[in-house]
Amino acid sequence: MSTPASDNAAPSAWLLSLPALVFFAVIVIVPLIMTVVLSFHDWGEYKGIQPVFILKNWIEIWSDPYFGEMFARTFRIAILVTLITAVFGAPEAYILNRMRAPWRGIFVLVLLGPLLISIVARTLGWALLFGGNSGVVNAALMKLGVISSPIPFMFTETGVIIALAHVLMPFMVLSVWAALQRVDPQIENAAASLGAGHFTTLRRVIFPQIVPGVLSGGIIVFALSASAFATPAIIGGRRLKVAATLAYDEFLNTLNWPLGAAVATLLLVCLVVTIVGANRLIERRYAEVFR
Amino acid sequence: MSFLVLRELKKTYGDFVAVEALSLDVQRGEFISLLGPSGCGKTTTLQMVAGFVEPTGGAILLDGHDLVAMKPSRRGLGVVFQSYALFPHMTAAENVAFGLEMQKVGRAERDERVRNALELVGLGGFAERYPRRMSGGQQQRVALARALVIRPHVLLLDEPLSNLDAKLREEMQIELRQIQRTVGTTTILVTHDQSEAMALSDRIVVMNGGRVEQIAAPQEAYERPATPFVAGFLGKTNELSGTARVEGGETRVVIADGRWASRRPIDGAVIASVRPEKIAFADCAAGRLTGLVKTRIFQGNHWLYRIETLAGQVFVIRQNGGEPMPAENDKVGLTWRPEDMALRAADGRR
Amino acid sequence: MTRNGPLALLYHALFVVFMLAPIVIVCIVAFTPEGYLSLPTHGLSLRWFRTIAQYPEFIRAFWVSIWLGALSSAIALSLSVPAALAIARYRFKGRDALATLFMSPLMIPPVVLGIAFLRFFSLVGLGGTFVGLVLSHVVIVFPFALRLTLASAVGMDRAIEQAAVSLGASDWTVFRRVTLPLILPGLVSGWALAFIQSFDEVTMTVFVAAPGTETLPVRMFLYIQDNIDPLVTSVSASVIALTAIALVALDRLYGLERLLAGRGINEP
């Protein structure tokens, strides 16, 4: 028999969780609430932050097309990055899963290891590769005859998308790989024994089983790229703003904290709604697969 | 008063009744088994005695003292778990010494008692070995030594042999019984294995769905099961419908074309329960239950027969004594002694 | 299982090149003998690694990062152990909500956290202090500490503790002599993973750190914002080398797959 819950579970459980709970209440919840409140405060260049309740910042975000454009860019980048990681990461996870020891272990380290390497260092690598017109990527592409004139990567959405796809790719590979590990290794042989060709097996047997992995990996990649900061800041520069870099500018350059807080709050709300909604959808659609 | 008393012990989880008003008196030195299928409440009962589960109602008295009010760590009971639950980061000797350390037993006495306990279970040379470097049987013995070394008032065994293979399990059964006899510790064993319960215990408590079906010595429960569940759970049995009529000082039982005389006063439609090994083959004389041998399976020391009779299918087990046995499609008569047949009213009355 | 075909292996090779290219280029450029960013075509040189020593702000930032990671991971771990035991052992009302709350730093964008901390700390007088930095890092590494602690608490046979209790051990003795030694490997890995997360964090820290309490990634980020030169490349290469060593060690100790599995936002 499974261990039944003891009768006085709740008090001891809360007592044990109390230190962490208090910490979170004070250091996470209170500051978040204060941020939301801050977004309703007034600000002026000379008067600073005025603790009043006004909708000024929210109206500004709503009415100024600059913010709409910036949020559209943020989510456009996030969607494209998600698609790229899914299209390229899922096959790689499949290949990785079919490798034998010790190669599999080595490439797991090679492909997932970058996850733990500083984002700044990885993005710097892309800045070096793109490096204006003389960058390695353009030089190689021109030598191969793929392009005749250098593609501008630095300070463009293309560059940001490629670098972000690289930074977040391990999450997708990891997620799809986790789904693949739940697949019975004999299942391909079973399909083959029933007369299915390799491609048919992939399409009809393997693919449906990794869809949940792609979707949950997609949620992670989407959320992380929509809130990404260092990569768009370095590759996108000061001109190509996304939500996170804009909020940063309002806080540390313009010093208009209330407006920055409003941008941040909006980003948080958008993300939470997207993630929770997508999770619900996936869980309902794939409830039996996830079990 | 008995040594250990469970009185109207009850455990519910919301609407689910895990154990329903269980009462049991255990004598000092007795070996009791709680036997039943999984989910019957036997483990919950043991955990209530050990103190890991709080009873919803009822009392547990040990030598007259209320056990429920006592912390599990103060109860002084030895527990052997199904998973053995050895401390993986301690050697066999350290595992066994742990309980003595908690009792603040002095170093010299502790070492002495640990050595004796390990020797008792036949692990004299394994004191410094870590559990993960021991076989299942050896781990089992360490767990037993760890529980016994604290000289527990009662030894609680939770399916201790279920993780061992069949051969080792039989050996351990004999050894366990021997050790329990030597030490004389009052013991409660939880098991779902009826042969294990019968081999080891002085009395068995057959449980089903949170209720006690029967408390009796193993042979009595086997020969005279109190309920159909007990009859079915303790080995194979044939359940045959018939009629009974009291005539003079006797009860005449009729099952299809077979007739028996019984001393049990019962009237009307009855169910007769007969163990397969109690049935003998005979010729097809009048007044005998007759049937056709449908299948015959050789099982080493015995034959298993399936006979098609007018009263339905009957299983018969005959020892393989070397004499000629009926073959498939033979017509046979079946007999058994009236006292080997348990009778109960077909409508559920006893 | 069947082998990967040649086409699959070619794809795999290109994929690996894509994943490693930016990391490798940083390490190569760091060895340039020139005074400007370039591939070291005329021999390798350590001059830019030596130059790091002349920039005390990088050295100081490095030590801030080390102390910050060690301290915040230790605090996060000591908070997460009792919480993990509660979540692993008991079924109680609010359990799921509690787990969601503790995992929430993974879901909240670090920019938002950074802004919230900046506002909060400046109001309570912790703005730009090391204490504020530690508190904020405890929050972001907590989910990682909790997850590994939780995994080892869930994986532990409850009967082992019950055995100790039945032998007369008090709650505290059970924890000290049985529970803690058994979950220790998980705790060590949890601390290491938390340390790496703290050491890498830049987005949230940019808001909380002030000159003097800047961490290494923040210093690197701010430096890159101004200009990219071989110096920051050699600093990055050093960071990559350190991480790679830690990575291989962690892989040996705990298994990288196990460490990273489910490192998502929809956790636990």
Side-chain angles (χ1 to χ4, degrees), chain B residues 52 73 77 83 88-89 101 146, chain C residues 157 162-163 165-166 168 177 182:
Chain B
F52 304 138
S73 59
L77 309 177
S83 60
H89 56 302
E101 260 181 76
R146 185 177 68 177
Chain C
D157 182 4
Q162 291 182 339
V165 169
S166 76
R177 295 280 310 271
L182 290 186

Side-chain angles (χ1 to χ4, degrees), chain A residues 13-14 16-17 24 27 34-35 88 92 95 98-100 109 113 116 124-126 166 174 227 229 244 248 251, chain C residues 2-4 11-12 15 19 22 26 82 92 98 109 111 115-118 123 200 203 206 236 243 247 256 260:
Chain A
W14 286 107
L16 283 170
S17 318
F24 266 71
I27 308 292
M34 284 168 61
T35 307
F88 291 100
E92 177 59 22
I95 294 170
R98 282 158 62 99
M99 287 192 170
R100 287 156 212 262
L109 201 64
L116 298 182
L124 174 67
W126 282 107
H166 171 262
L174 199 58
S227 59
F229 169 74
Y248 173 79
F251 260 80
Chain C
T2 39
R3 273 174 191 285
N4 286 308
Y11 180 87
H12 173 70
F15 195 91
M19 289 307 291
V26 168
F92 54 98
L98 204 61
V111 176
I115 286 171
F117 291 145
L118 175 58
L123 283 185
D200 284 352
T203 310
V206 155
S236 295
T243 316
L247 212 71
L256 197 63
L260 296 173

Side-chain angles (χ1 to χ4, degrees), chain B residues 133-198:
Chain B
R133 306 233 4 250
M134 296 178 130
S135 70
Q138 290 168 338
Q139 291 185 25
Q140 163 73 64
R141 287 156 202 258
V142 176
L144 189 62
R146 185 177 68 177
L148 283 173
V149 77
I150 60 168
R151 296 182 186 144
H153 303 300
V154 180
L155 180 64
L156 304 174
L157 307 170
D158 184 7
E159 304 257 10
L161 306 179
S162 63
N163 287 338
L164 304 177
D165 63 54
K167 196 164 165 294
L168 196 54
R169 187 159 45 210
E170 237 162 72
E171 284 172 28
M172 278 304 293
Q173 280 174 10
I174 296 168
E175 204 166 329
L176 191 59
R177 180 79 236 211
Q178 216 160 16
I179 290 170
Q180 196 263 345
R181 285 275 157 74
T182 319
V183 189
T185 311
T186 312
T187 303
I188 299 181
L189 166 79
V190 158
T191 182
H192 64 271
D193 180 344
Q194 39 99 10
S195 67
E196 185 173 300
M198 292 200 277

Side-chain angles (χ1 to χ4, degrees), chain B residues 47 52 72-74 76-79 81 83 85-90 95 98-99 101-102 146-147 150, chain C residues 156-171 173-174 176-182:
Chain B
Q47 295 218 313
F52 304 138
S73 59
R74 295 272 159 271
L77 309 177
V79 189
F81 296 85
S83 60
L86 295 179
F87 307 131
H89 56 302
M90 299 184 196
N95 263 283
F98 187 86
E101 260 181 76
M102 296 301 120
R146 185 177 68 177
I150 60 168
Chain C
M156 195 183 142
D157 182 4
R158 195 74 212 275
I160 295 178
E161 287 171 306
Q162 291 182 339
V165 169
S166 76
L167 294 168
S170 66
D171 289 354
T173 309
V174 173
R176 194 172 49 86
R177 295 280 310 271
V178 178
T179 315
L180 198 59
L182 290 186

Side-chain angles (χ1 to χ4, degrees), chain B residues 38-279:
Chain B
S38 69
C40 73
K42 56 190 194 300
T43 298
T44 309
T45 306
L46 190 87
Q47 295 218 313
M48 285 194 278
V49 177
F52 304 138
V53 169
E54 210 175 313
T56 313
I60 307 172
L61 301 175
L62 179 69
D63 221 1
H65 300 291
D66 180 17
L67 215 51
V68 177
M70 224 182 275
K71 273 185 163 180
S73 59
R74 295 272 159 271
R75 295 190 185 191
L77 309 177
V79 189
V80 175
F81 296 85
Q82 184 170 10
S83 60
Y84 314 142
L86 295 179
F87 307 131
H89 56 302
M90 299 184 196
T91 62
E94 285 168 352
N95 263 283
V96 178
F98 187 86
L100 298 176
E101 260 181 76
M102 296 301 120
Q103 292 178 355
K104 307 224 166 14
V105 173
R107 189 62 189 255
E109 189 194 340
R110 199 164 75 204
D111 291 350
E112 173 72 20
R113 279 168 70 177
V114 168
R115 193 163 45 245
N116 290 343
L118 284 173
E119 252 150 43
L120 179 72
V121 296
L123 286 178
F126 290 83
E128 297 314 313
R129 189 117 9 137
Y130 282 93
R132 72 172 64 86
R133 306 233 4 250
M134 296 178 130
S135 70
Q138 290 168 338
Q139 291 185 25
Q140 163 73 64
R141 287 156 202 258
V142 176
L144 189 62
R146 185 177 68 177
L148 283 173
V149 77
I150 60 168
R151 296 182 186 144
H153 303 300
V154 180
L155 180 64
L156 304 174
L157 307 170
D158 184 7
E159 304 257 10
L161 306 179
S162 63
N163 287 338
L164 304 177
D165 63 54
K167 196 164 165 294
L168 196 54
R169 187 159 45 210
E170 237 162 72
E171 284 172 28
M172 278 304 293
Q173 280 174 10
I174 296 168
E175 204 166 329
L176 191 59
R177 180 79 236 211
Q178 216 160 16
I179 290 170
Q180 196 263 345
R181 285 275 157 74
T182 319
V183 189
T185 311
T186 312
T187 303
I188 299 181
L189 166 79
V190 158
T191 182
H192 64 271
D193 180 344
Q194 39 99 10
S195 67
E196 185 173 300
M198 292 200 277
L200 289 170
S201 351
D202 298 315
R203 284 191 296 156
I204 58 180
V205 179
V206 185
M207 295 180 71
N208 182 34
R211 279 199 322 274
V212 172
E213 296 270 337
Q214 186 171 16
I215 303 179
Q219 195 182 352
E220 192 193 335
Y222 186 79
E223 305 279 342
R224 274 177 293 283
T227 65
F229 175 81
V230 177
F233 198 74
L234 298 180
K236 268 201 190 74
T237 191
N238 293 298
E239 300 253 296
L240 305 168
S241 319
T243 54
R245 208 173 71 236
V246 179
E247 238 170 46
E250 260 186 1
T251 307
R252 306 209 58 82
V253 181
V254 179
I255 299 168
D257 50 350
R259 280 161 188 38
W260 282 263
S262 167
R263 289 186 191 288
R264 187 155 145 63
I266 190 165
D267 226 34
V270 292
I271 303 281
S273 153
V274 197
R275 298 280 179 197
E277 70 275 13
K278 303 282 186 190
I279 304 176

